[in-house]
Structures are given as structure tokens and as C-alpha cells.
Amino acid sequence: MAEETANDTQVAQENEVAPNDEAVQADELVQAEDMAQADELIHGEGIDQGDELAHDDDFVQGNELVVAEEMTPRTGTRRRRKKSLVWEHFTIEEVAGGATRACCNLCKQTFAYSSGSKIAGTSHLKRHITLGSCPKIKNQEQRLALPSAGGTDNDGEGTVERRTKRRYRYTGYANATFDQDRSCSYLAKLIIQHDYPLHIVQQPAFGTFIESLQPRFKIVDVDTMEGEVYAVYQKEKENLLQAFNTIPGRISLTIGLWTTSQTLGYVSLAGQFIDSEWKVHRRMLSFMMVSSPHSENALSEAISMTLSDWNMKDKLFTITLDNECSSHDIYSANLRDYLSNKNNLMLKGQLFVVRCYTHILNAAAQDVIASIHGVIYNIRESIKFIKASSAREEKFAEIALQLEIPSTKTLCLDVTTQWNTTYLMLLAALDYKQAFTTLETCDDNYNEAPSAEDWKKVEAACTYLKLLYDSAHSIMASTNPTSNLFFHEAWKLQLELTNGTGHEDPIFSSIAKDMHERFDKYWKDCSLVLAIAVVMDPRFKMKLVEFSYSKIYGAEAAKYVKVVDDAVHELYKEYVAQPLPLTPAYAEQGEANNGPANANNSQGAPASTGDGLLDFDMYLSEIQSSQLSKSELEQYLDESLTPRMQEFDILNWWKLNTVKFPTLSKMARDILAIPMSMVSSGSSIFTAGTGSHMLDDYRSSLRPEIVEALVCAKDWLQYSPAAKDAPNSALVKAEGS
């Protein structure tokens, strides 16, 4: 160590370093650290002379510059790898006479490092990069506009106390490891998750911002960033593929149609399933460009390619579509026939095509709003008139007070793209209908008050919009609604609309007939899958189907109940015919239970225990045989209903009863995972369109594979854990899944 200190002094003289008090203190601190580390390396326990020095910490803690010095190599030992942080800034160059010098990668200035077997320390190199000796680093810091004592920052927003020169540089970027590739990957994820354009990397302001954070980061071009985005997509897809291998059941798809300003379109496919822990998941699978997204042939090809890409050809259960197809029956039949040739569809495809429930709600709501669009226009203009000045608002409030209107609702304009706000606007305006009429007589500038007939139309519209509004809120109450929840809403809505068509008031009956015509089509298409799903709810089973059908169909209810009962039993038989993979716990239990049973069967009669109750043993054997003759489905349906409670978790119930109903639970897993709504968790149910989505011009200009990478990776990254976990962690959802 004394020899190394002498070398440091010699090097300082050679490079004409004139240390001030601060530099001397820094040199003494670093030398002390060097000597302590060298002593630990020589005398420390468990460290051989030939071992390499390894560090786990990537970053420097506090103001200490923790480094590993190169020790003088000994004869017969392996040369250790350089671990000092200074070697991120210096490169060893050989000179004449077997000596080497350290060259600064930034300013290209060289310093003595070794002469033959003598190796200098790195203290003088540390001083070069941390005490501002390097002109390149000094220029970079000046560009960062480090404020001077008592001065103001670049914007002149006040004084900033100047940090000491040493502290600033010791906590700067030179003390931390930097990885260009990792930073580029993080930038790609930022662009993906926040829908930033790829050309953000070319914007000068972005470059300035990045340089202020990390001057060593090299801004990449758009093509390179495309590659980074695609690399993130590929990595996340590989993780998800591994996780999909653990899915115990089938998968159901939701299909969205996207159009562009060009003639091309896109088809988005998302898969929904229940994992081995009985948690619901939905993941984007593909976002594929097609020549005609509304063609069933193009759609069928997209589905087949996606299933093949994800190794799910034998796992397809149902697909959920929107309701904007005028020839829905032909469309669905052609799609079913095409895919049934390549996939084994359950129940002969009767459950295969499902229509989105939330889309039918929105379509029905839009029909109601369109039927009174003239009245809605007058109400909007009336509210605008009142809200135009505080004097008018005060006058309107005074009128409402004089008329003793008890309503506490506040008049507000709606958002035309969200029908629930239109409903709330009409509901509030309806309470103040007399005030609008009075205002028209008091203010000559106001002449938009609806007539008595108009208010009657508003009342009828609100009556039926309330049914849709309440139904939508019931669905939204669950973070990830399972398919059993939708039957409750659908049958009540079908009953109310059916009764509404016979309303004595023609205004009410007219609106009800238009809504019923649309919703009845949905009910006929989807009532079977809705009913089968609610049968899988142990709180209702077949009983709710029987009750609701008696309300809807009256004397013909038994015929429709039988259709549901037959379908449930037929579907169960198909699951019985499939091989049932046993979980380790169930297999162990099965072996334990089957052992004595097989032994008894070989004897032909139950073994006597010698207590004189052989006849009783025979009786128990007969009871057991009769119970075993019942299928799991029959046992399930015959058992008493589970008590209804507010916080009932149906998935947890089936998880706890998987051992009791191994085959039926497999059937329940697939049915409960059917996406009755295409609206994903966190999205507004009231803005779900009934037709194609429009892809913006920027996305339309990108290559199809990059568009798919951006859309899919954004969906996947929201579920990716921050830490590296097991492969199936790709399925771990955020809180509330």
C-alpha cells in the first residue's frame, strides 16, 4: 500500500495536478478506502488469491465512491477483472516499454497506469472524473445550467442555494451505472403505455429533457425505437405463452372491428378465461389487419390464425361479437360453420356466438334518445340559456322557489357521446318543467320551453332509460363480472319491455315496442347461454330459470325450461366424455378412496367386523351404490340452494367444491368465463359503441406489425409485475381481479 501511495504521488506530479485543499481531502479519502479494501482482499476470509472480485450493488450509496482496486498480479494466479467504476470512463492503452496508460473516453487525455509489473492506483483517475478535471464533463455540467450561489435558475424563478462542488459531483451520474439498452427498453415501454408517438424521440424538447436527466443517453431514431417496441412485445408475448400453458380450461374470445381512413381495417381479438386459482383474466391476443373487417371469411381467418399462433386450437369455447351486423344470423351461422370444421365446438355450436350485452343496452338507449331528439334539443338550448349568466340562474332559482318545486337536482348539460348523462339531464329538467314554462312567460328572450306533450315524451323516455341505466350500473358494480350475473338483468328487462308494449298510453307503448323489437332479438339469440350460466350459480341453479320463465312465457314456460335443462345435461355429458386431468391433491385423494373400494369389490361383499352388524354393512353399501349412480350434475341440482348473500364469491365457491364436483367444476369454469360484455374492466359502459372503432391517422400510417405490438403490449404491460417472478405471474392481475 505504501508503494501504491508513492505511485499516486508520482502520477500526480507527472500529470501536473496541483491539488487544492478539497482535492487533497478527496485523495486522502479515496486512498484510505483503497487501502482498507486491499487489506480486506488480502486478509479476508474465504477469498483466494486467484478469485475475482464481485459486487452485487449497481449503484453508489451516499457520497462514497466504492470501487474495487486492481491488485498487483501474482505469479501463477489468474488476473482479476477490473471492477472499478472508473473503467466506465477510461480505456487501457499500451505504450512503448511494456507500460500502459489510461485514456479518458471523453477528453482523450492519458494518465500513467502501469510500468512493467508496477500498477498505479486509480485515485488520480477518480479525481479526473469527479473533481471536474475532465473538460468534457465540465462542459456537460455547464449545459445543465448548474445555478451559482445567490443566482437564479434559467427561468428566473428564484434563488437556489449552490451545492458544494464536491457533493454535486459525487452524487452525479458518474457514480451510477448506466445501461443504454435498458434505458431504451424503458423508453419503449413509456411510449407503449401512454400512447406517445414513436417520433417523440425526434422532438428537440424531448432530447433536451433526456439530456438534462442523463447526458450519456444517446437519442435513437424512429426505426430503432420501432425495434425496441417490437422487442418489448415479443418478450411479453413469450411470457404470456408460458402462462397460457397452465390454463386448465377453455378460452372465450371477444372480437372488435376497427376501420381506418383507408380501405383497410383491423380485427382485435382478446381472450377471457379462468385460471387454476379461479381468477378471471382477459388478455389481448392479436390486432390484425384485414382487407375487409366486416367479412365473416376475413374474421374466421383472423380467429384461426390467432388460435394457431397461441396454441389454442382445441381450447376455443365461445366468441362474443357486437350487434351492428344487419345480417347477424347469416353472419353467425357462416362463422360457426367455418370454425366448427377446424375446432371441436361444444354443444354443436349452440353457445358459440354470443352478442355483447352492453352494446345492446347502448343501442336501445340511442333508439330512445333518437325518438325524442327534437325535445332533447330544446332542453339543451334551454339549459344553455339559463347557464349563460348568473342573473338568469338566479331568476330561474327564484321561479323554482316560488313554485315550491321540491327537487334538489341541478340542471346540467349532457355529453352527447355518453347516453347516461343525457338521461340525467332529462331527469333533472323534468322536475323543473313548470319553471321552464314560467320563465318563457317572464323573459321575452327565451322561447325554447317544451310543450306539455313534449314533457310527456320526456317522461316516457326517462321511464325506459331508467331500466337501461339501472341494468348497466348493476353490471358495473362488479370489477370483473362473471357470466352468471347477466341473466338477472336480461330477464327483468325482457319482462318490462314485453309488458310495456301493452301500455295504455301510445307514447309509452311506442317507445317500448321499438326497444322490445331490438332487445327481443338479443333475448332469442342469447337466453340459452345466459340461462346455463345462471344454473352454475349455486344460489339459483334451475330455480331462477323456472321462476323467470313463468313470468315471461306464462303457460308455455315449461317448454322453454326443458330446453335449458336438456342443454345443461347434454353439455355435462360432453365434459364427462373428455379426459379429466387430475390435480395432485385430487389424484392423491382418489387413490386413497379407490384403494379400499377396489378391495371390497374383489371380495363381492363388505367385510364383517365381527360385531354382528353384517346386515347393517350391507344396507350402507346399497345406499352408497345408489348415491354413486347419481351424476355430479344431478347431485349439484338436488342439493339445497346456497343462501344468498351480498358479497358472495361464485368463483371461490367452485374453487372450494372442485374436489366434490371435479367434472362439473370444469364445465362451470368455462361457462363462467364467457364474456357477455366486450367492455373491459375500467372502461365506461355508457360509451361502448355499437359499430366499428376508428383507428387514428397516425396509427394507420404505421406498419401493421408495429400497430399490433403497440396495442397488445399496452394491454400486457398493465399486468406485468415490477419484479421478476415465475412465468405464471404474467396472469397476475391488479387488485380487484
Side-chain angles (χ1 to χ4, degrees):
M1 285 298 104
E3 186 176 343
E4 179 179 341
T5 305
N7 287 335
D8 289 346
T9 305
Q10 179 182 352
V11 170
Q13 294 173 352
E14 178 180 348
N15 291 282
E16 298 181 355
V17 177
N20 53 23
D21 293 341
E22 184 181 10
V24 171
Q25 292 175 2
D27 190 25
E28 292 174 354
L29 173 63
V30 174
Q31 289 181 22
E33 293 171 354
D34 294 343
M35 294 177 66
Q37 289 182 348
D39 184 70
E40 181 180 352
L41 286 172
I42 295 174
H43 302 290
E45 295 180 0
I47 301 178
D48 296 331
Q49 294 178 354
D51 287 346
E52 293 184 358
L53 181 64
H55 277 278
D56 292 331
D57 294 335
D58 290 332
F59 296 96
V60 177
Q61 303 294 326
N63 291 335
E64 297 184 27
L65 191 62
V66 182
V67 295
E69 296 295 348
E70 289 292 325
M71 302 301 298
T72 303
R74 302 187 180 187
T75 305
T77 62
R78 186 175 53 178
R79 189 182 183 88
R80 284 184 290 275
R81 232 169 2 111
K82 294 178 175 60
K83 289 289 184 177
S84 175
L85 291 176
V86 300
W87 299 118
E88 293 183 10
H89 305 273
F90 288 90
T91 304
I92 298 297
E93 294 181 350
E94 294 185 1
V95 295
T100 58
R101 296 181 67 83
C103 177
C104 177
N105 296 332
L106 295 176
C107 68
K108 305 305 179 183
Q109 187 176 353
T110 62
F111 301 84
Y113 179 62
S114 70
S115 57
S117 60
K118 303 291 185 180
I119 297 180
T122 55
S123 302
H124 59 301
L125 305 182
K126 297 173 200 170
R127 287 195 296 271
H128 179 73
I129 63 174
T130 59
L131 296 182
S133 301
C134 179
K136 291 291 185 180
I137 294 180
K138 188 173 183 179
N139 291 338
Q140 288 174 347
E141 291 175 350
Q142 289 174 349
R143 286 201 302 271
L144 295 181
L146 181 66
S148 59
T152 61
D153 58 15
N154 291 339
D155 297 327
E157 295 179 354
T159 60
V160 181
E161 182 180 354
R162 182 172 181 253
R163 297 183 180 182
T164 64
K165 185 176 182 181
R166 173 172 175 164
R167 172 172 293 186
Y168 174 76
R169 292 198 175 100
Y170 263 82
T171 57
Y173 71 88
N175 295 329
T177 57
F178 168 68
D179 190 329
Q180 172 78 16
D181 294 337
R182 184 173 61 177
S183 297
C184 282
S185 179
Y186 285 146
L187 177 56
K189 291 179 180 180
L190 178 73
I191 290 174
I192 291 169
Q193 291 179 291
H194 297 280
D195 295 324
Y196 295 143
L198 291 170
H199 57 259
I200 190 176
V201 297
Q202 294 180 328
Q203 296 176 0
F206 179 77
T208 302
F209 173 68
I210 292 299
E211 185 179 14
S212 70
L213 298 178
Q214 177 53 269
R216 286 181 289 173
F217 181 80
K218 297 179 181 178
I219 299 293
V220 298
D221 56 24
V222 174
D223 291 339
T224 303
M225 187 49 58
E226 278 191 357
E228 292 289 343
V229 167
Y230 199 75
V232 171
Y233 161 77
Q234 289 281 38
K235 181 179 179 181
E236 294 298 325
K237 185 175 182 179
E238 290 175 4
N239 294 338
L240 200 55
L241 272 170
Q242 294 180 23
F244 277 167
N245 291 333
T246 66
I247 296 177
R250 291 175 173 261
I251 190 168
S252 294
L253 303 180
T254 62
I255 301 175
L257 306 179
W258 294 70
T259 58
T260 66
S261 55
Q262 305 165 346
T263 58
L264 299 175
Y266 283 83
V267 174
S268 65
L269 285 91
Q272 184 159 305
F273 55 91
I274 295 175
D275 65 11
S276 57
E277 294 298 319
W278 287 87
K279 301 294 183 182
V280 181
H281 302 277
R282 182 182 294 187
R283 295 291 185 274
M284 185 69 71
L285 299 181
S286 66
F287 196 82
M288 194 176 302
M289 189 184 74
V290 293
S291 57
S292 178
H294 288 280
S295 166
E296 64 264 23
N297 291 334
L299 191 56
S300 299
E301 287 293 339
I303 294 174
S304 295
M305 291 176 63
T306 299
L307 293 176
S308 177
D309 190 31
W310 288 91
N311 300 323
M312 293 181 178
K313 284 186 175 181
D314 299 327
K315 291 188 174 183
L316 179 61
F317 192 53
T318 66
I319 61 172
T320 302
L321 303 171
D322 62 23
N323 303 280
E324 189 58 18
C325 185
S326 58
S327 56
H328 182 84
D329 292 337
I330 300 176
Y331 188 85
S332 300
N334 292 344
L335 194 61
R336 184 185 296 110
D337 293 342
Y338 180 90
L339 292 172
S340 62
N341 295 330
K342 298 187 176 183
N343 302 273
N344 182 24
L345 301 183
M346 305 296 291
L347 209 60
K348 298 179 181 179
Q350 292 185 62
L351 311 179
F352 182 59
V353 179
V354 181
R355 299 176 69 180
C356 177
Y357 181 76
T358 52
H359 281 188
I360 202 68
L361 291 183
N362 292 331
Q366 295 299 335
D367 288 345
V368 175
I369 291 172
S371 67
I372 60 167
H373 67 278
V375 183
I376 293 176
Y377 174 81
N378 287 343
I379 292 176
R380 284 196 187 110
E381 293 301 313
S382 298
I383 295 176
K384 287 179 184 177
F385 178 83
I386 295 170
K387 295 287 186 180
S389 69
S390 57
R392 291 175 181 174
E393 286 190 276
E394 291 175 1
K395 185 175 183 179
F396 187 81
E398 183 180 348
I399 292 173
L401 187 63
Q402 291 175 353
L403 295 174
E404 297 182 351
I405 297 175
S407 177
T408 57
K409 297 184 179 71
T410 303
L411 291 179
C412 57
L413 287 172
D414 64 335
V415 179
T416 57
T417 56
Q418 299 179 8
W419 65 264
N420 60 313
T421 63
T422 304
Y423 163 66
L424 296 175
M425 178 187 72
L426 296 177
L427 204 60
L430 193 61
D431 286 351
Y432 294 98
K433 60 182 180 181
Q434 293 181 349
F436 283 108
T437 303
T438 304
L439 179 64
E440 190 173 35
T441 61
C442 299
D443 194 330
D444 295 336
N445 295 321
Y446 174 64
N447 57 3
E448 298 286 351
S451 64
E453 187 72 11
D454 290 339
W455 286 118
K456 198 171 186 180
K457 293 179 181 178
V458 172
E459 183 181 355
C462 287
T463 298
Y464 293 108
L465 284 175
K466 184 179 187 303
L467 298 176
L468 306 177
Y469 182 83
D470 291 344
S471 182
H473 268 280
S474 296
I475 299 301
M476 291 171 61
S478 177
T479 306
N480 292 288
T482 46
S483 59
N484 60 298
L485 300 179
F486 290 82
F487 181 83
H488 303 269
E489 304 305 319
W491 84 264
K492 289 185 291 186
L493 194 53
Q494 174 70 4
L495 179 63
E496 291 290 343
L497 294 179
T498 301
N499 295 337
T501 57
H503 199 284
E504 58 184 10
D505 191 315
I507 296 178
F508 281 77
S509 62
S510 175
I511 294 178
K513 286 177 182 177
D514 292 341
M515 293 178 65
H516 181 264
E517 182 179 355
R518 181 182 288 275
F519 195 82
D520 188 59
K521 181 68 173 64
Y522 170 82
W523 177 258
K524 289 177 180 177
D525 288 342
C526 299
S527 60
L528 180 60
V529 66
L530 290 169
I532 292 177
V534 83
V535 171
M536 294 294 101
D537 190 330
R539 298 171 296 174
F540 303 104
K541 303 181 182 180
M542 284 294 299
K543 301 303 180 183
L544 183 60
V545 176
E546 296 167 0
F547 171 77
S548 59
Y549 279 17
S550 67
K551 297 286 187 179
I552 297 173
Y553 299 112
E556 297 183 348
K559 178 178 65 174
Y560 293 97
V561 171
K562 186 177 185 302
V563 172
V564 176
D565 187 70
D566 291 346
V568 170
H569 282 80
E570 186 63 30
L571 184 60
Y572 173 73
K573 290 179 182 178
E574 293 187 22
Y575 276 89
V576 171
Q578 296 177 1
L580 182 66
L582 300 179
T583 62
Y586 181 70
E588 182 179 348
Q589 180 181 0
E591 291 174 1
N593 293 338
N594 290 337
N598 293 337
N600 290 340
N601 290 339
S602 64
Q603 295 174 2
S608 175
T609 59
D611 56 3
L613 293 176
L614 179 60
D615 292 343
F616 177 67
D617 293 334
M618 294 289 291
Y619 169 73
L620 293 179
S621 179
E622 291 173 1
I623 293 178
Q624 185 178 11
S625 300
S626 63
Q627 289 178 343
L628 291 176
S629 64
K630 275 189 177 183
S631 68
E632 292 177 24
L633 177 60
E634 290 172 333
Q635 292 181 51
Y636 168 76
L637 295 176
D638 289 345
E639 288 181 354
S640 301
L641 299 180
T642 299
R644 299 196 306 276
M645 59 186 68
Q646 190 69 25
E647 299 298 328
F648 179 73
D649 187 344
I650 187 173
L651 296 181
N652 188 58
W653 189 93
W654 279 105
K655 179 181 179 180
L656 297 176
N657 286 272
T658 300
V659 173
K660 184 178 181 180
F661 303 114
T663 302
L664 188 61
S665 64
K666 186 178 179 183
M667 172 175 154
R669 186 197 305 272
D670 294 342
I671 291 173
L672 294 175
I674 296 175
M676 298 296 184
S677 169
M678 295 178 62
V679 179
S680 59
S681 176
S683 301
S684 174
I685 200 172
F686 301 106
T687 57
T690 57
S692 299
H693 306 280
M694 176 63 73
L695 200 66
D696 60 66
D697 291 338
Y698 168 69
R699 292 283 179 95
S700 302
S701 67
L702 299 175
R703 290 184 288 121
E705 59 269 25
I706 299 302
V707 176
E708 182 176 39
L710 289 169
V711 173
C712 292
K714 180 182 179 180
D715 177 71
W716 301 337
L717 285 173
Q718 65 179 316
Y719 305 114
S720 295
K724 295 180 180 179
D725 294 325
N728 62 356
S729 64
L731 297 183
V732 176
K733 293 202 65 171
E735 184 178 355
S737 63

